[in-house]
Amino acid sequence: MNRLERMSAILVKLQSRPVVTAREIAGQFGVSLRTVYRDIHSLEESGIPICGEAGLGYSLVDGFRLPPLMFTTEEAISFLMAEKLISHHADDDTYDAFRGGMDKIRAVLKAAEKDFLHGLEDYIRVPKSENFPPPVSGNVMQPLLKSLLHKRCVTIEYRAGYNEKTTLRTVEPQGVFFMVHCWYVTAWCTLREAYRTFHLCRIRNITPLDEPFSRQHPPLDELVQMMYSRTTDTKVVLRVNQEANKMIGSSKYLNGLAEEQQDGNHYVQIYETYSLEHFARWYMSFADKAEILEPQELKTIVKELIGSIRI
């Protein structure tokens, strides 16, 4: 970011809050306090009516604002809630871009509404959970979306989850989606010559290319249906007590939960799974608090796994 861009962003930030300290500005834009003081002085010399001084904070004279689009307070609150969610569920650059957009939204509010929104921030929390995966690091999502928009390939360094090996792949992104606390991208992989789904947290590096997509791709909804609809899934029915149901949490969806009905202190759950062995290994983590109703084959696999355990 050059100095002109930074000064414009500082002006937007000053419009977005009642008071902004030099330390806040320095932290957001990665510059020294001396640089902030120089930028503020330059804005004052250009005719921007700034009140305050170093050490106390800066604000704009009430009533001064650039000609903007207007948002209602309710719209601004919805954006504030979205900002809290994005802070934990997007890569760093996407969150920084959204935060900059939020400053522009705050900048167009009236003084009373701006104060209200500023105070509301202390009452909205999205705490980090130990169950969440590591956040997407660096700038991953923006290049993927630009690649999709311009139909240009990208190269990614990808670490596979099943064997921890890192491979270099050229892919043609087709869409991103968020599921069970994780972001994924669906793309055509030239290495595998097939559509694949990649976990964004496992992308170590991404390089945009000038190379155009090699083929015409189907619409995303059609592509997802083609990739994930299976005719060989096996139906599994479990009876799980309340304690186990709380313990397995969102993992039941990852393992194919299709239906769930409460039966007293238990839940009858219907799953569709592509691998009974994979399902059996997951089931064993709470098997003492559940019962397999069907199929018999799953019961046999679980018994064999138990019999192979060495203690």
Side-chain angles (χ1 to χ4, degrees):
M1 178 182 290
N2 59 40
R3 188 172 186 235
L4 180 59
E5 291 173 332
R6 186 176 65 249
M7 289 175 62
S8 297
I10 290 174
L11 178 56
V12 169
K13 193 171 187 67
L14 287 170
Q15 290 188 100
S16 71
R17 289 173 171 78
V19 178
V20 181
T21 67
R23 194 169 298 279
E24 289 176 46
I25 297 172
Q28 179 170 340
F29 300 106
V31 296
S32 66
L33 289 175
R34 177 178 291 184
T35 298
V36 173
Y37 299 150
R38 283 203 305 264
D39 289 346
I40 293 292
H41 183 65
S42 296
L43 287 171
E44 290 174 326
E45 288 186 329
S46 67
I48 305 298
I50 299 176
C51 302
E53 58 185 38
L56 299 177
Y58 301 101
S59 62
L60 294 175
V61 171
D62 194 20
F64 175 83
R65 58 173 59 89
L66 298 175
L69 293 171
M70 298 303 293
F71 294 95
T72 66
T73 303
E74 290 77 13
E75 289 170 335
I77 289 173
S78 70
F79 295 143
L80 176 61
M81 296 182 70
E83 181 183 24
K84 299 292 185 180
L85 289 169
I86 287 176
S87 68
H88 294 324
H89 297 301
D91 62 7
D92 297 338
D93 283 19
T94 298
Y95 173 59
D96 288 343
F98 190 90
R99 187 172 58 175
M102 276 299 301
D103 282 346
K104 294 177 183 177
I105 291 170
R106 290 186 178 97
V108 303
L109 297 176
K110 296 177 183 178
E113 294 170 338
K114 190 185 305 181
D115 290 342
F116 171 75
L117 194 65
H118 184 67
L120 192 63
E121 288 192 68
D122 293 334
Y123 297 95
I124 300 176
R125 288 288 180 272
V126 180
K128 280 193 174 182
S129 169
E130 293 180 358
N131 296 323
F132 286 0
V136 180
S137 59
N139 186 6
V140 172
M141 193 173 297
Q142 300 284 332
L144 286 173
L145 293 175
K146 289 177 181 177
S147 162
L148 189 158
L149 179 64
H150 299 300
K151 292 181 169 49
R152 293 289 185 268
C153 300
V154 294
T155 298
I156 61 173
E157 291 180 23
Y158 189 74
R159 181 179 59 81
Y162 62 92
N163 62 7
E164 302 295 320
K165 287 183 61 177
T166 298
T167 55
L168 191 65
R169 305 173 184 229
T170 298
V171 301
E172 301 175 12
Q174 297 304 302
V176 298
F177 60 94
F178 185 78
M179 183 176 68
V180 196
H181 310 314
C182 300
W183 279 104
Y184 301 87
V185 58
T186 296
W188 174 262
C189 176
T190 60
L191 178 65
R192 305 301 185 203
E193 294 190 343
Y195 291 106
R196 290 289 187 267
T197 297
F198 301 98
H199 194 312
L200 263 60
C201 291
R202 298 194 183 118
I203 296 178
R204 292 292 174 258
N205 190 32
I206 182 167
T207 305
L209 304 175
D210 290 329
E211 179 184 343
F213 285 178
S214 63
R215 64 193 63 224
Q216 185 75 28
H217 298 284
L220 182 60
D221 288 343
E222 182 180 327
L223 178 60
V224 171
Q225 179 70 18
M226 180 179 70
M227 291 177 65
Y228 297 108
S229 62
R230 294 184 291 263
T231 59
T232 57
D233 284 352
T234 302
K235 178 182 176 182
V236 172
V237 183
L238 304 181
R239 191 167 184 265
V240 182
N241 71 20
Q242 289 183 340
E243 183 181 352
N245 194 46
K246 290 180 180 179
M247 182 178 67
I248 60 180
S250 60
S251 67
K252 61 188 178 184
Y253 301 105
L254 289 174
N255 285 278
L257 180 68
E259 293 182 37
E260 182 178 65
Q261 292 185 348
Q262 189 165 5
D263 179 20
N265 293 325
H266 292 77
Y267 290 85
V268 175
Q269 300 172 336
I270 299 176
Y271 292 83
E272 294 178 357
T273 181
Y274 67 94
S275 170
L276 284 177
E277 181 177 349
H278 175 89
F279 191 93
R281 293 180 183 277
W282 172 69
Y283 170 78
M284 286 176 63
S285 65
F286 59 94
D288 60 321
K289 303 179 187 300
E291 177 187 1
I292 300 172
L293 301 183
E294 60 176 275
Q296 181 61 44
E297 184 183 357
L298 179 60
K299 297 180 181 181
T300 301
I301 293 173
V302 170
K303 289 177 181 178
E304 290 175 352
L305 289 172
I306 293 173
S308 67
I309 294 175
R310 297 178 181 178
I311 300 177

Short mmCIF file of all heavy atoms in Angstrom, two decimals, residues 54 64 117 178 236:
data_model
loop_
_atom_site.label_atom_id
_atom_site.label_comp_id
_atom_site.label_asym_id
_atom_site.label_seq_id
_atom_site.Cartn_x
_atom_site.Cartn_y
_atom_site.Cartn_z
N ALA A 54 -1.62 13.79 19.20
CA ALA A 54 -0.90 12.55 19.49
C ALA A 54 -1.05 12.18 20.96
O ALA A 54 -0.91 13.03 21.84
CB ALA A 54 0.56 12.72 19.13
N PHE A 64 -18.64 16.45 9.17
CA PHE A 64 -17.82 16.29 7.97
C PHE A 64 -17.84 14.83 7.52
O PHE A 64 -17.56 13.93 8.29
CB PHE A 64 -16.37 16.71 8.23
CG PHE A 64 -15.47 16.44 7.06
CD1 PHE A 64 -15.39 17.35 6.02
CD2 PHE A 64 -14.73 15.27 6.98
CE1 PHE A 64 -14.55 17.10 4.93
CE2 PHE A 64 -13.90 15.01 5.90
CZ PHE A 64 -13.82 15.94 4.87
N LEU A 117 -23.12 1.69 17.11
CA LEU A 117 -22.44 0.53 16.53
C LEU A 117 -21.10 0.29 17.21
O LEU A 117 -20.71 -0.85 17.46
CB LEU A 117 -22.24 0.74 15.02
CG LEU A 117 -21.85 -0.49 14.22
CD1 LEU A 117 -22.97 -1.52 14.25
CD2 LEU A 117 -21.52 -0.12 12.79
N PHE A 178 -18.12 -23.62 2.39
CA PHE A 178 -17.81 -23.70 3.82
C PHE A 178 -18.67 -24.80 4.42
O PHE A 178 -19.89 -24.79 4.27
CB PHE A 178 -18.11 -22.37 4.50
CG PHE A 178 -17.72 -22.31 5.95
CD1 PHE A 178 -16.40 -22.13 6.32
CD2 PHE A 178 -18.67 -22.44 6.94
CE1 PHE A 178 -16.04 -22.07 7.66
CE2 PHE A 178 -18.32 -22.38 8.28
CZ PHE A 178 -16.99 -22.19 8.63
N VAL A 236 -26.86 -47.19 7.29
CA VAL A 236 -26.52 -47.61 8.66
C VAL A 236 -27.53 -46.98 9.61
O VAL A 236 -27.84 -45.79 9.49
CB VAL A 236 -25.09 -47.17 9.04
CG1 VAL A 236 -24.82 -47.42 10.52
CG2 VAL A 236 -24.05 -47.87 8.18
#
